[in-house]
PDB file of all heavy atoms in Angstrom:
ATOM      1  N   ARG A   1      16.677 -39.583 -32.736  1.00  0.00           N
ATOM      2  CA  ARG A   1      15.516 -39.669 -33.552  1.00  0.00           C
ATOM      3  C   ARG A   1      14.256 -39.344 -32.906  1.00  0.00           C
ATOM      4  O   ARG A   1      14.202 -39.363 -31.600  1.00  0.00           O
ATOM      5  CB  ARG A   1      15.414 -41.173 -33.998  1.00  0.00           C
ATOM      6  CG  ARG A   1      16.573 -41.612 -34.977  1.00  0.00           C
ATOM      7  CD  ARG A   1      16.439 -42.919 -35.516  1.00  0.00           C
ATOM      8  NE  ARG A   1      17.427 -43.341 -36.470  1.00  0.00           N
ATOM      9  CZ  ARG A   1      17.417 -43.082 -37.741  1.00  0.00           C
ATOM     10  NH1 ARG A   1      16.321 -42.436 -38.251  1.00  0.00           N
ATOM     11  NH2 ARG A   1      18.395 -43.381 -38.558  1.00  0.00           N
ATOM     12  N   THR A   2      13.233 -38.941 -33.646  1.00  0.00           N
ATOM     13  CA  THR A   2      11.955 -38.695 -33.065  1.00  0.00           C
ATOM     14  C   THR A   2      10.945 -39.581 -33.784  1.00  0.00           C
ATOM     15  O   THR A   2      11.102 -39.939 -34.987  1.00  0.00           O
ATOM     16  CB  THR A   2      11.585 -37.182 -33.286  1.00  0.00           C
ATOM     17  OG1 THR A   2      10.339 -36.858 -32.618  1.00  0.00           O
ATOM     18  CG2 THR A   2      11.484 -36.835 -34.813  1.00  0.00           C
ATOM     19  N   PRO A   3       9.957 -40.024 -33.128  1.00  0.00           N
ATOM     20  CA  PRO A   3       8.956 -40.949 -33.763  1.00  0.00           C
ATOM     21  C   PRO A   3       8.289 -40.342 -34.966  1.00  0.00           C
ATOM     22  O   PRO A   3       8.073 -39.118 -34.946  1.00  0.00           O
ATOM     23  CB  PRO A   3       8.006 -41.333 -32.629  1.00  0.00           C
ATOM     24  CG  PRO A   3       8.709 -41.016 -31.352  1.00  0.00           C
ATOM     25  CD  PRO A   3       9.641 -39.851 -31.716  1.00  0.00           C
ATOM     26  N   GLY A   4       7.886 -41.100 -35.877  1.00  0.00           N
ATOM     27  CA  GLY A   4       7.198 -40.605 -37.096  1.00  0.00           C
ATOM     28  C   GLY A   4       7.872 -41.009 -38.366  1.00  0.00           C
ATOM     29  O   GLY A   4       9.032 -41.413 -38.374  1.00  0.00           O
ATOM     30  N   ARG A   5       7.114 -40.954 -39.388  1.00  0.00           N
ATOM     31  CA  ARG A   5       7.562 -41.337 -40.747  1.00  0.00           C
ATOM     32  C   ARG A   5       7.966 -40.038 -41.487  1.00  0.00           C
ATOM     33  O   ARG A   5       7.428 -38.970 -41.229  1.00  0.00           O
ATOM     34  CB  ARG A   5       6.517 -42.104 -41.522  1.00  0.00           C
ATOM     35  CG  ARG A   5       6.203 -43.412 -40.908  1.00  0.00           C
ATOM     36  CD  ARG A   5       5.181 -44.215 -41.722  1.00  0.00           C
ATOM     37  NE  ARG A   5       4.928 -45.513 -41.161  1.00  0.00           N
ATOM     38  CZ  ARG A   5       5.580 -46.560 -41.441  1.00  0.00           C
ATOM     39  NH1 ARG A   5       6.617 -46.559 -42.247  1.00  0.00           N
ATOM     40  NH2 ARG A   5       5.315 -47.749 -40.902  1.00  0.00           N
ATOM     41  N   GLY A   6       8.853 -40.262 -42.450  1.00  0.00           N
ATOM     42  CA  GLY A   6       9.274 -39.076 -43.247  1.00  0.00           C
ATOM     43  C   GLY A   6      10.809 -39.069 -43.395  1.00  0.00           C
ATOM     44  O   GLY A   6      11.496 -39.909 -42.794  1.00  0.00           O
ATOM     45  N   PRO A   7      11.284 -38.083 -44.133  1.00  0.00           N
ATOM     46  CA  PRO A   7      12.742 -38.065 -44.299  1.00  0.00           C
ATOM     47  C   PRO A   7      13.425 -37.562 -43.101  1.00  0.00           C
ATOM     48  O   PRO A   7      12.914 -36.817 -42.268  1.00  0.00           O
ATOM     49  CB  PRO A   7      12.867 -37.023 -45.527  1.00  0.00           C
ATOM     50  CG  PRO A   7      11.674 -36.196 -45.385  1.00  0.00           C
ATOM     51  CD  PRO A   7      10.598 -37.078 -44.878  1.00  0.00           C
ATOM     52  N   ASP A   8      14.678 -37.992 -42.966  1.00  0.00           N
ATOM     53  CA  ASP A   8      15.557 -37.497 -41.874  1.00  0.00           C
ATOM     54  C   ASP A   8      15.812 -35.995 -42.068  1.00  0.00           C
ATOM     55  O   ASP A   8      16.197 -35.529 -43.159  1.00  0.00           O
ATOM     56  CB  ASP A   8      16.840 -38.271 -41.833  1.00  0.00           C
ATOM     57  CG  ASP A   8      16.704 -39.762 -41.395  1.00  0.00           C
ATOM     58  OD1 ASP A   8      15.641 -39.971 -40.802  1.00  0.00           O
ATOM     59  OD2 ASP A   8      17.554 -40.515 -41.749  1.00  0.00           O
ATOM     60  N   LEU A   9      15.697 -35.256 -40.984  1.00  0.00           N
ATOM     61  CA  LEU A   9      16.132 -33.857 -41.032  1.00  0.00           C
ATOM     62  C   LEU A   9      17.617 -33.709 -40.961  1.00  0.00           C
ATOM     63  O   LEU A   9      18.135 -32.658 -41.456  1.00  0.00           O
ATOM     64  CB  LEU A   9      15.496 -33.033 -39.790  1.00  0.00           C
ATOM     65  CG  LEU A   9      13.978 -33.095 -39.730  1.00  0.00           C
ATOM     66  CD1 LEU A   9      13.462 -32.225 -38.576  1.00  0.00           C
ATOM     67  CD2 LEU A   9      13.337 -32.593 -41.152  1.00  0.00           C
ATOM     68  N   VAL A  10      18.279 -34.737 -40.392  1.00  0.00           N
ATOM     69  CA  VAL A  10      19.751 -34.698 -40.396  1.00  0.00           C
ATOM     70  C   VAL A  10      20.258 -35.893 -41.209  1.00  0.00           C
ATOM     71  O   VAL A  10      19.986 -37.063 -40.872  1.00  0.00           O
ATOM     72  CB  VAL A  10      20.235 -34.823 -38.917  1.00  0.00           C
ATOM     73  CG1 VAL A  10      21.786 -35.062 -38.948  1.00  0.00           C
ATOM     74  CG2 VAL A  10      19.840 -33.693 -38.097  1.00  0.00           C
ATOM     75  N   THR A  11      20.865 -35.611 -42.360  1.00  0.00           N
ATOM     76  CA  THR A  11      21.178 -36.701 -43.274  1.00  0.00           C
ATOM     77  C   THR A  11      22.501 -37.426 -42.874  1.00  0.00           C
ATOM     78  O   THR A  11      22.566 -38.718 -43.099  1.00  0.00           O
ATOM     79  CB  THR A  11      21.387 -36.151 -44.698  1.00  0.00           C
ATOM     80  OG1 THR A  11      22.404 -35.095 -44.642  1.00  0.00           O
ATOM     81  CG2 THR A  11      20.061 -35.567 -45.226  1.00  0.00           C
ATOM     82  N   HIS A  12      23.397 -36.834 -42.243  1.00  0.00           N
ATOM     83  CA  HIS A  12      24.724 -37.376 -41.818  1.00  0.00           C
ATOM     84  C   HIS A  12      24.806 -37.434 -40.294  1.00  0.00           C
ATOM     85  O   HIS A  12      24.766 -36.270 -39.741  1.00  0.00           O
ATOM     86  CB  HIS A  12      25.855 -36.654 -42.462  1.00  0.00           C
ATOM     87  CG  HIS A  12      25.797 -36.708 -43.936  1.00  0.00           C
ATOM     88  ND1 HIS A  12      25.985 -37.848 -44.735  1.00  0.00           N
ATOM     89  CD2 HIS A  12      25.560 -35.739 -44.899  1.00  0.00           C
ATOM     90  CE1 HIS A  12      25.952 -37.564 -46.025  1.00  0.00           C
ATOM     91  NE2 HIS A  12      25.612 -36.275 -46.125  1.00  0.00           N
ATOM     92  N   ASN A  13      24.972 -38.560 -39.738  1.00  0.00           N
ATOM     93  CA  ASN A  13      25.018 -38.642 -38.290  1.00  0.00           C
ATOM     94  C   ASN A  13      26.392 -38.166 -37.712  1.00  0.00           C
ATOM     95  O   ASN A  13      26.422 -37.727 -36.576  1.00  0.00           O
ATOM     96  CB  ASN A  13      24.786 -40.060 -37.836  1.00  0.00           C
ATOM     97  CG  ASN A  13      24.559 -40.222 -36.391  1.00  0.00           C
ATOM     98  OD1 ASN A  13      23.896 -39.424 -35.766  1.00  0.00           O
ATOM     99  ND2 ASN A  13      25.125 -41.350 -35.783  1.00  0.00           N
ATOM    100  N   ARG A  14      27.433 -38.225 -38.513  1.00  0.00           N
ATOM    101  CA  ARG A  14      28.828 -37.790 -38.062  1.00  0.00           C
ATOM    102  C   ARG A  14      29.244 -38.514 -36.800  1.00  0.00           C
ATOM    103  O   ARG A  14      29.782 -37.906 -35.874  1.00  0.00           O
ATOM    104  CB  ARG A  14      28.823 -36.260 -37.867  1.00  0.00           C
ATOM    105  CG  ARG A  14      28.486 -35.504 -39.117  1.00  0.00           C
ATOM    106  CD  ARG A  14      28.903 -34.080 -38.977  1.00  0.00           C
ATOM    107  NE  ARG A  14      28.194 -33.435 -37.858  1.00  0.00           N
ATOM    108  CZ  ARG A  14      28.548 -32.232 -37.289  1.00  0.00           C
ATOM    109  NH1 ARG A  14      29.597 -31.598 -37.795  1.00  0.00           N
ATOM    110  NH2 ARG A  14      27.839 -31.698 -36.299  1.00  0.00           N
ATOM    111  N   GLY A  15      28.996 -39.865 -36.740  1.00  0.00           N
ATOM    112  CA  GLY A  15      29.351 -40.570 -35.508  1.00  0.00           C
ATOM    113  C   GLY A  15      30.873 -40.586 -35.224  1.00  0.00           C
ATOM    114  O   GLY A  15      31.257 -40.502 -34.029  1.00  0.00           O
ATOM    115  N   TRP A  16      31.684 -40.516 -36.263  1.00  0.00           N
ATOM    116  CA  TRP A  16      33.162 -40.499 -36.051  1.00  0.00           C
ATOM    117  C   TRP A  16      33.531 -39.240 -35.328  1.00  0.00           C
ATOM    118  O   TRP A  16      34.469 -39.252 -34.464  1.00  0.00           O
ATOM    119  CB  TRP A  16      33.799 -40.494 -37.479  1.00  0.00           C
ATOM    120  CG  TRP A  16      33.520 -39.347 -38.350  1.00  0.00           C
ATOM    121  CD1 TRP A  16      32.494 -39.177 -39.169  1.00  0.00           C
ATOM    122  CD2 TRP A  16      34.241 -38.163 -38.377  1.00  0.00           C
ATOM    123  NE1 TRP A  16      32.455 -38.012 -39.825  1.00  0.00           N
ATOM    124  CE2 TRP A  16      33.560 -37.303 -39.323  1.00  0.00           C
ATOM    125  CE3 TRP A  16      35.336 -37.587 -37.720  1.00  0.00           C
ATOM    126  CZ2 TRP A  16      34.013 -36.054 -39.639  1.00  0.00           C
ATOM    127  CZ3 TRP A  16      35.807 -36.312 -38.078  1.00  0.00           C
ATOM    128  CH2 TRP A  16      35.078 -35.570 -39.015  1.00  0.00           C
ATOM    129  N   LEU A  17      32.897 -38.127 -35.576  1.00  0.00           N
ATOM    130  CA  LEU A  17      33.206 -36.838 -34.878  1.00  0.00           C
ATOM    131  C   LEU A  17      32.793 -36.886 -33.453  1.00  0.00           C
ATOM    132  O   LEU A  17      33.536 -36.389 -32.537  1.00  0.00           O
ATOM    133  CB  LEU A  17      32.545 -35.682 -35.627  1.00  0.00           C
ATOM    134  CG  LEU A  17      32.947 -34.314 -35.178  1.00  0.00           C
ATOM    135  CD1 LEU A  17      34.438 -34.096 -35.217  1.00  0.00           C
ATOM    136  CD2 LEU A  17      32.178 -33.219 -36.006  1.00  0.00           C
ATOM    137  N   ALA A  18      31.715 -37.521 -33.164  1.00  0.00           N
ATOM    138  CA  ALA A  18      31.235 -37.721 -31.787  1.00  0.00           C
ATOM    139  C   ALA A  18      32.286 -38.510 -30.980  1.00  0.00           C
ATOM    140  O   ALA A  18      32.578 -38.160 -29.845  1.00  0.00           O
ATOM    141  CB  ALA A  18      29.906 -38.384 -31.686  1.00  0.00           C
ATOM    142  N   TRP A  19      32.819 -39.659 -31.563  1.00  0.00           N
ATOM    143  CA  TRP A  19      33.816 -40.387 -30.939  1.00  0.00           C
ATOM    144  C   TRP A  19      35.124 -39.606 -30.682  1.00  0.00           C
ATOM    145  O   TRP A  19      35.741 -39.759 -29.653  1.00  0.00           O
ATOM    146  CB  TRP A  19      34.081 -41.713 -31.700  1.00  0.00           C
ATOM    147  CG  TRP A  19      33.069 -42.734 -31.498  1.00  0.00           C
ATOM    148  CD1 TRP A  19      32.162 -43.193 -32.376  1.00  0.00           C
ATOM    149  CD2 TRP A  19      32.878 -43.489 -30.281  1.00  0.00           C
ATOM    150  NE1 TRP A  19      31.357 -44.224 -31.884  1.00  0.00           N
ATOM    151  CE2 TRP A  19      31.763 -44.430 -30.549  1.00  0.00           C
ATOM    152  CE3 TRP A  19      33.436 -43.487 -29.042  1.00  0.00           C
ATOM    153  CZ2 TRP A  19      31.318 -45.242 -29.548  1.00  0.00           C
ATOM    154  CZ3 TRP A  19      32.989 -44.390 -28.055  1.00  0.00           C
ATOM    155  CH2 TRP A  19      31.902 -45.185 -28.348  1.00  0.00           C
ATOM    156  N   LEU A  20      35.541 -38.852 -31.663  1.00  0.00           N
ATOM    157  CA  LEU A  20      36.670 -38.019 -31.533  1.00  0.00           C
ATOM    158  C   LEU A  20      36.487 -37.004 -30.300  1.00  0.00           C
ATOM    159  O   LEU A  20      37.406 -36.777 -29.580  1.00  0.00           O
ATOM    160  CB  LEU A  20      36.985 -37.239 -32.828  1.00  0.00           C
ATOM    161  CG  LEU A  20      37.643 -37.961 -33.948  1.00  0.00           C
ATOM    162  CD1 LEU A  20      37.793 -37.084 -35.118  1.00  0.00           C
ATOM    163  CD2 LEU A  20      39.027 -38.639 -33.451  1.00  0.00           C
ATOM    164  N   LEU A  21      35.266 -36.460 -30.227  1.00  0.00           N
ATOM    165  CA  LEU A  21      35.052 -35.483 -29.124  1.00  0.00           C
ATOM    166  C   LEU A  21      35.139 -36.209 -27.767  1.00  0.00           C
ATOM    167  O   LEU A  21      35.762 -35.724 -26.824  1.00  0.00           O
ATOM    168  CB  LEU A  21      33.715 -34.863 -29.374  1.00  0.00           C
ATOM    169  CG  LEU A  21      33.242 -33.782 -28.375  1.00  0.00           C
ATOM    170  CD1 LEU A  21      34.213 -32.574 -28.411  1.00  0.00           C
ATOM    171  CD2 LEU A  21      31.863 -33.291 -28.613  1.00  0.00           C
ATOM    172  N   VAL A  22      34.534 -37.371 -27.677  1.00  0.00           N
ATOM    173  CA  VAL A  22      34.551 -38.120 -26.382  1.00  0.00           C
ATOM    174  C   VAL A  22      35.998 -38.470 -26.087  1.00  0.00           C
ATOM    175  O   VAL A  22      36.398 -38.359 -24.926  1.00  0.00           O
ATOM    176  CB  VAL A  22      33.586 -39.343 -26.555  1.00  0.00           C
ATOM    177  CG1 VAL A  22      33.780 -40.269 -25.306  1.00  0.00           C
ATOM    178  CG2 VAL A  22      32.120 -38.908 -26.646  1.00  0.00           C
ATOM    179  N   LEU A  23      36.706 -39.021 -27.071  1.00  0.00           N
ATOM    180  CA  LEU A  23      38.117 -39.432 -26.782  1.00  0.00           C
ATOM    181  C   LEU A  23      38.950 -38.283 -26.414  1.00  0.00           C
ATOM    182  O   LEU A  23      39.855 -38.420 -25.599  1.00  0.00           O
ATOM    183  CB  LEU A  23      38.619 -40.148 -28.045  1.00  0.00           C
ATOM    184  CG  LEU A  23      38.046 -41.493 -28.337  1.00  0.00           C
ATOM    185  CD1 LEU A  23      38.574 -42.038 -29.654  1.00  0.00           C
ATOM    186  CD2 LEU A  23      38.284 -42.457 -27.166  1.00  0.00           C
ATOM    187  N   ALA A  24      38.731 -37.119 -27.016  1.00  0.00           N
ATOM    188  CA  ALA A  24      39.523 -35.924 -26.619  1.00  0.00           C
ATOM    189  C   ALA A  24      39.259 -35.506 -25.226  1.00  0.00           C
ATOM    190  O   ALA A  24      40.246 -35.227 -24.461  1.00  0.00           O
ATOM    191  CB  ALA A  24      39.223 -34.744 -27.580  1.00  0.00           C
ATOM    192  N   VAL A  25      38.045 -35.617 -24.714  1.00  0.00           N
ATOM    193  CA  VAL A  25      37.788 -35.267 -23.294  1.00  0.00           C
ATOM    194  C   VAL A  25      38.334 -36.293 -22.378  1.00  0.00           C
ATOM    195  O   VAL A  25      39.012 -35.898 -21.343  1.00  0.00           O
ATOM    196  CB  VAL A  25      36.205 -35.177 -23.139  1.00  0.00           C
ATOM    197  CG1 VAL A  25      35.930 -35.072 -21.630  1.00  0.00           C
ATOM    198  CG2 VAL A  25      35.642 -33.981 -23.890  1.00  0.00           C
ATOM    199  N   LEU A  26      38.267 -37.576 -22.723  1.00  0.00           N
ATOM    200  CA  LEU A  26      38.864 -38.621 -21.919  1.00  0.00           C
ATOM    201  C   LEU A  26      40.369 -38.516 -21.823  1.00  0.00           C
ATOM    202  O   LEU A  26      40.998 -38.776 -20.767  1.00  0.00           O
ATOM    203  CB  LEU A  26      38.403 -39.985 -22.383  1.00  0.00           C
ATOM    204  CG  LEU A  26      36.911 -40.393 -22.249  1.00  0.00           C
ATOM    205  CD1 LEU A  26      36.611 -41.692 -22.852  1.00  0.00           C
ATOM    206  CD2 LEU A  26      36.452 -40.269 -20.828  1.00  0.00           C
ATOM    207  N   ALA A  27      40.975 -38.190 -22.986  1.00  0.00           N
ATOM    208  CA  ALA A  27      42.435 -37.984 -23.011  1.00  0.00           C
ATOM    209  C   ALA A  27      42.876 -36.839 -22.156  1.00  0.00           C
ATOM    210  O   ALA A  27      43.873 -36.953 -21.490  1.00  0.00           O
ATOM    211  CB  ALA A  27      42.915 -37.805 -24.454  1.00  0.00           C
ATOM    212  N   TYR A  28      42.094 -35.780 -22.220  1.00  0.00           N
ATOM    213  CA  TYR A  28      42.363 -34.585 -21.332  1.00  0.00           C
ATOM    214  C   TYR A  28      42.281 -34.952 -19.884  1.00  0.00           C
ATOM    215  O   TYR A  28      43.176 -34.571 -19.039  1.00  0.00           O
ATOM    216  CB  TYR A  28      41.506 -33.402 -21.689  1.00  0.00           C
ATOM    217  CG  TYR A  28      41.584 -32.263 -20.697  1.00  0.00           C
ATOM    218  CD1 TYR A  28      42.794 -31.572 -20.535  1.00  0.00           C
ATOM    219  CD2 TYR A  28      40.522 -32.023 -19.864  1.00  0.00           C
ATOM    220  CE1 TYR A  28      42.873 -30.514 -19.554  1.00  0.00           C
ATOM    221  CE2 TYR A  28      40.577 -30.963 -18.925  1.00  0.00           C
ATOM    222  CZ  TYR A  28      41.731 -30.235 -18.785  1.00  0.00           C
ATOM    223  OH  TYR A  28      41.841 -29.280 -17.917  1.00  0.00           O
ATOM    224  N   TRP A  29      41.242 -35.602 -19.495  1.00  0.00           N
ATOM    225  CA  TRP A  29      41.119 -36.108 -18.134  1.00  0.00           C
ATOM    226  C   TRP A  29      42.193 -37.013 -17.702  1.00  0.00           C
ATOM    227  O   TRP A  29      42.718 -36.912 -16.548  1.00  0.00           O
ATOM    228  CB  TRP A  29      39.717 -36.778 -17.894  1.00  0.00           C
ATOM    229  CG  TRP A  29      38.559 -35.879 -17.989  1.00  0.00           C
ATOM    230  CD1 TRP A  29      38.593 -34.529 -18.006  1.00  0.00           C
ATOM    231  CD2 TRP A  29      37.184 -36.244 -18.024  1.00  0.00           C
ATOM    232  NE1 TRP A  29      37.322 -34.033 -18.035  1.00  0.00           N
ATOM    233  CE2 TRP A  29      36.476 -35.062 -18.064  1.00  0.00           C
ATOM    234  CE3 TRP A  29      36.517 -37.491 -18.109  1.00  0.00           C
ATOM    235  CZ2 TRP A  29      35.013 -35.050 -18.125  1.00  0.00           C
ATOM    236  CZ3 TRP A  29      35.080 -37.450 -18.058  1.00  0.00           C
ATOM    237  CH2 TRP A  29      34.394 -36.278 -18.089  1.00  0.00           C
TER     238      TRP A  29
END
C-alpha cells in the first residue's frame, strides 16, 4: 500500500498465490 485516500489500484491481493509461491520455493530447497 501507499499512503493516501482513493480507490485501490490493485483490487485483488491474490494472497493465496503468494503463499503457493513461497511454499514452492521452500519445498524445492
Side-chain angles (χ1 to χ4, degrees):
R1 295 183 176 274
T2 187
R5 296 182 178 273
D8 291 339
L9 301 182
V10 176
T11 55
H12 300 289
N13 192 39
R14 301 193 298 166
W16 62 272
L17 187 56
W19 279 112
L20 282 180
L21 184 62
V22 172
L23 290 175
V25 171
L26 293 178
Y28 168 66
W29 287 351

